[in-house]
Amino acid sequence: MTIRTLLVDDDPDTRAIVALALDLHPQFAVSAVSRLGAADTLRHGTEAFDVILLDMKFADMSAGALVATVRQWSSSAAIPVLILSPRDGDSDRRAYRSVGAQGSIAKPFDPVALPDRVIESLRPFSPAATQRSAS
């Protein structure tokens, strides 16, 4: 199964590194965009995604505002959102969940381990996990 990923990061270097780390894994297909690119992509709803990775180093937006912006388009309302953040304590993770994110991944992270971290974070939202927990 391919995990169609929308990576949102305004730093082109970080976007390239994260996209490469995910693209090298056979399960990922990545669209890496800035916030403005994400807004266009989600507003038009021309691509379907399985997960949205949001970088949280945006100085001008809180996690809540960022997740709310992503959620305003119906094409992304039900897509799991994972926050990439240097702040990843228990209170930070609770705050991200309280604004609608499904989880977070601490930065800095090992690029080689990133695909497995994303897969693990998505496990509760995958159909297979849902079927296992229902039986």
Side-chain angles (χ1 to χ4, degrees):
M1 175 184 131
T2 299
I3 300 170
R4 298 160 302 178
T5 305
L6 179 63
L7 168 63
V8 183
D9 193 318
D10 280 347
D11 180 338
D13 293 331
T14 302
R15 198 167 55 229
I17 290 167
V18 174
L20 180 62
L22 294 173
D23 274 335
L24 290 174
H25 192 282
Q27 282 187 263
F28 284 87
V30 180
S31 292
V33 296
S34 67
R35 276 186 293 176
L36 292 176
D40 286 341
T41 298
L42 295 171
R43 185 179 320 116
H44 294 112
T46 56
E47 292 183 65
F49 296 101
D50 300 306
V51 64
I52 299 172
L53 299 180
L54 292 177
D55 183 79
M56 263 322 299
K57 70 176 176 229
F58 301 124
D60 61 336
M61 287 188 101
S62 68
L66 194 53
V67 173
T69 299
V70 165
R71 296 284 187 223
Q72 71 183 338
W73 295 288
S74 62
S75 65
S76 61
I79 301 170
V81 172
L82 301 177
I83 303 289
L84 301 176
S85 176
R87 298 180 52 164
D88 195 51
D90 289 340
S91 63
D92 298 307
R93 287 191 299 274
R94 281 192 303 274
Y96 298 146
R97 282 191 205 95
S98 74
V99 298
Q102 280 64 44
S104 62
I105 295 175
K107 290 170 42 179
F109 48 78
D110 175 1
V112 174
L114 180 61
D116 290 332
R117 295 280 314 274
V118 173
I119 290 168
E120 182 64 30
S121 296
L122 290 176
R123 190 157 283 136
F125 308 101
S126 71
T130 304
Q131 288 173 350
R132 279 194 303 275
S133 63
S135 46

CSV table of all heavy atoms in Angstrom, one decimal, residues 2-3 74 106 128:
chain,number,residue,atom,x,y,z
A,2,THR,N,0.6,2.2,-0.9
A,2,THR,CA,1.3,3.4,-0.9
A,2,THR,C,0.7,4.4,0.0
A,2,THR,O,-0.5,4.6,0.1
A,2,THR,CB,1.3,4.0,-2.4
A,2,THR,OG1,1.9,3.1,-3.2
A,2,THR,CG2,2.0,5.3,-2.4
A,3,ILE,N,1.6,5.1,0.8
A,3,ILE,CA,1.1,6.1,1.7
A,3,ILE,C,1.3,7.5,1.0
A,3,ILE,O,2.5,7.9,0.9
A,3,ILE,CB,1.9,6.1,3.0
A,3,ILE,CG1,1.7,4.7,3.7
A,3,ILE,CG2,1.5,7.2,4.0
A,3,ILE,CD1,2.6,4.5,4.9
A,74,SER,N,-12.7,20.5,2.7
A,74,SER,CA,-13.3,19.1,2.9
A,74,SER,C,-12.4,18.0,2.4
A,74,SER,O,-12.4,16.9,2.9
A,74,SER,CB,-14.7,19.1,2.1
A,74,SER,OG,-14.5,19.2,0.8
A,106,ALA,N,9.1,14.2,16.9
A,106,ALA,CA,10.1,15.2,17.4
A,106,ALA,C,11.2,15.4,16.4
A,106,ALA,O,11.7,14.5,15.6
A,106,ALA,CB,10.7,14.6,18.7
A,128,ALA,N,-6.3,-1.7,8.4
A,128,ALA,CA,-5.9,-3.0,8.9
A,128,ALA,C,-5.9,-3.0,10.5
A,128,ALA,O,-6.3,-3.9,11.1
A,128,ALA,CB,-4.5,-3.4,8.4
